[in-house]
Amino acid sequence: MAEDAILGFLEKNDEISDSFKFAEQHGFLHEEIVNVIRSLNGFRFVDAQDIKRERWVLTEEGKTYASVGSPEFQLFSAVPPEGIAREELQKKLDPAVYKIGCQQAIKNKWVEMAKTQVSRKVQHADDKVKDSLLRIQNGEAVNQEDIDALKRRKLISQQVWKGNSVRKGPNYAPKRKRAATDLTRENLQRGDWKELEFKEYNFSAKGQPVEGGHLHPLLKVRRQIQMIFLNMGFEEMPTNNYVESSFWNFDALFQPQQHPARDSHDTFFLKVPSTSKMLPEEYVERVKQVHESGGYQSRGYGYDWKREEANKNLLRTHTTAVSSRMLCALAQKPFAPKKYYSIDRVFRNEAVDRTHLAEFHQIEGLICDRGLTLGDLIGVLHDFFARLGMSKLRFKPAYNPYTEPSMEIFSYHEGLKKWVEVGNSGMFRPEMLLPMGLPEDVRVIAWGLSLERPTMILYGIDNIRDLFGPKVDIGLIKRNPICRLGI
């Protein structure tokens, strides 16, 4: 109905100058008229121009004063010609009216307020406030000085009205013919498809988002790194045991029982089950001996090794606990060279901040063969990190309880324009390998790094909590781009 009214009016007239007045004259809501105008303008049936008008309207307080008079006039009217006691005047007026009325009446020099008496200073007063409010209410003009005064007293507020002026557009027609959006079976049967006007396709419009599975950035980078290991001839270690005994996590790696990493401030120990009872006893005895008194050309640590400490269960602090199990199992068979890798979750009792979490993922690789040297380790590291896109490497001597020599790995970050640490590496100590039963000429080179750090660099994420954990935005999984590592 509103559309017919607009198009019919423009058929006989050049313009609708004011959509609000048009709506009033034809009995429509202004909002309905505006919505129809927008639709017609979109299809170029009409050309619409925005118009904006500002007007003053009375506040609730202003409406009250327009009806009963301003507080100052009410107070003046309550004072008889002979005057009145202040207490009696207060009783005659509302407290708010009395308070405002006193201020304004004194300002206007209408009354004189003595200590106990109120008297008139003029015999007659005009309520200009009420007059101005009524004129505004009736849509009449009011001078700017009076407007400013009423605005300061918050008796009026500005109301902005928006509407349209409308003229015929290039596609104007007295009646809009609805364009068909679909060609139906019924159209073909009736034959009316020949007379239909079809809506044009908007090829730039976005379609409905395709819902489906999305990989998390960590999983994408993990898969890329996994493929690098597989292409280098490595096989994956089973890492499905999050709970590990202190023996495999620390003792088998020749890490002393008084080491700070074994404190509850650094490691999550389990309450239930608190201990592990299934350990290879002969191997445990050899590990105890090398800790207490040494062996294999080592002096050991020279302390009283306690079995109850080795039995304690914990959430593994590194995947090297898995490496110790794999090497021990390898030692029970006729020796054959092996390349192992793992990528899985580890747990540290650390304070959570932008770069640290209590749980994260560790990438680990190791090679077990006869006669390996530190030069072999450096060569493998150059090959591995080059496949990650890190061709500039530096190595710094470091200390680890279970590797000697040990090296921290640094790569030059082109974005930051500086060297950053990307991992740790070393050769497993004889005190770790020989108690397992591996031949004396067998050496193991190993290295490790986190999965989160390269992922954060690749995806431009500066807070690890935005990548992993309960605060991750699920939208990140849908928005993140394809990631390709290295060469």
Side-chain angles (χ1 to χ4, degrees), residues 235-301:
E235 60 181 277
E236 188 170 9
M237 294 184 281
T239 54
N240 54 332
N241 289 340
Y242 287 173
V243 175
E244 192 57 271
S245 68
S246 293
F247 176 79
W248 291 110
N249 197 83
F250 294 124
D251 296 274
L253 302 178
F254 195 57
Q255 192 158 325
Q257 292 185 340
Q258 67 270 26
H259 194 280
R262 301 176 74 146
D263 189 81
S264 60
H265 293 294
D266 293 285
T267 302
F268 293 109
F269 288 93
L270 267 66
K271 289 185 177 180
V272 181
S274 60
T275 59
S276 176
K277 299 179 181 179
M278 297 179 62
L279 296 175
E281 295 300 330
E282 292 183 7
Y283 176 46
V284 171
E285 189 61 34
R286 293 194 295 271
V287 169
K288 175 184 177 182
Q289 183 178 349
V290 77
H291 275 252
E292 289 184 338
S293 55
Y296 317 105
Q297 301 182 356
S298 171
R299 292 183 300 176
Y301 291 114

Side-chain angles (χ1 to χ4, degrees), residues 389-447:
M390 304 176 191
S391 56
K392 298 179 182 179
L393 294 183
R394 283 182 180 176
F395 305 99
K396 175 184 175 183
Y399 167 76
N400 289 316
Y402 44 89
T403 58
E404 181 61 38
S406 306
M407 301 184 302
E408 291 176 346
I409 310 164
F410 291 81
S411 174
Y412 188 75
H413 194 294
E414 296 291 346
L416 299 176
K417 302 299 181 184
K418 67 177 183 179
W419 293 88
V420 295
E421 184 181 352
V422 292
N424 212 326
S425 65
M427 301 184 68
F428 285 148
R429 299 177 67 104
E431 296 96 326
M432 171 187 165
L433 299 177
L434 295 180
M436 294 177 176
L438 288 169
E440 291 188 7
D441 61 340
V442 169
R443 303 287 183 267
V444 178
I445 58 176
W447 67 98

Side-chain angles (χ1 to χ4, degrees), residues 71 113 152 199 201 211 240 251 256 284 334 360 365 382 476:
M113 306 287 289
R152 283 194 299 269
K199 185 178 180 181
Y201 281 104
E211 294 296 333
N240 54 332
D251 296 274
V284 171
F360 55 96
H382 273 289
L476 169 70

Side-chain angles (χ1 to χ4, degrees), residues 311-437:
N311 287 342
K312 289 181 179 179
N313 282 334
L314 48 80
L315 294 177
R316 66 181 180 213
T317 62
H318 47 194
T319 52
T320 316
V322 181
S323 301
S324 65
R325 283 181 177 272
M326 295 297 293
L327 290 172
C328 186
L330 185 64
Q332 310 314 309
K333 307 172 185 177
F335 179 74
K338 286 289 184 180
K339 293 180 179 180
Y340 291 125
Y341 82 93
S342 64
I343 308 172
D344 213 333
R345 197 171 301 187
V346 296
F347 308 86
R348 306 270 177 90
N349 192 1
E350 294 187 7
V352 175
D353 57 29
R354 296 179 68 88
T355 57
H356 295 86
L357 288 177
E359 56 179 305
F360 55 96
H361 295 79
Q362 181 178 335
I363 302 165
E364 183 163 345
L366 66 89
I367 300 175
C368 179
D369 203 351
R370 299 182 188 273
L372 292 175
T373 66
L374 190 65
D376 294 307
L377 174 60
I378 292 174
V380 171
L381 290 176
H382 273 289
D383 185 14
F384 175 79
F385 281 99
R387 295 169 186 254
L388 287 176
M390 304 176 191
S391 56
K392 298 179 182 179
L393 294 183
R394 283 182 180 176
F395 305 99
K396 175 184 175 183
Y399 167 76
N400 289 316
Y402 44 89
T403 58
E404 181 61 38
S406 306
M407 301 184 302
E408 291 176 346
I409 310 164
F410 291 81
S411 174
Y412 188 75
H413 194 294
E414 296 291 346
L416 299 176
K417 302 299 181 184
K418 67 177 183 179
W419 293 88
V420 295
E421 184 181 352
V422 292
N424 212 326
S425 65
M427 301 184 68
F428 285 148
R429 299 177 67 104
E431 296 96 326
M432 171 187 165
L433 299 177
L434 295 180
M436 294 177 176

Side-chain angles (χ1 to χ4, degrees), residues 40-91:
L40 292 171
N41 185 66
F43 288 96
R44 305 305 309 276
F45 276 79
V46 300
D47 284 334
Q49 298 293 326
D50 293 334
I51 55 175
K52 183 174 74 171
R53 291 182 183 153
E54 297 176 352
R55 65 171 184 166
W56 294 100
V57 295
L58 307 189
T59 63
E60 291 301 318
E61 187 179 3
K63 291 177 182 178
T64 302
Y65 299 162
S67 174
V68 300
S70 66
E72 54 267 36
F73 189 79
Q74 292 183 57
L75 183 137
F76 178 81
S77 301
V79 177
E82 66 275 13
I84 189 173
R86 292 188 65 164
E87 290 185 3
E88 187 178 345
L89 180 61
Q90 279 183 291
K91 293 177 182 178

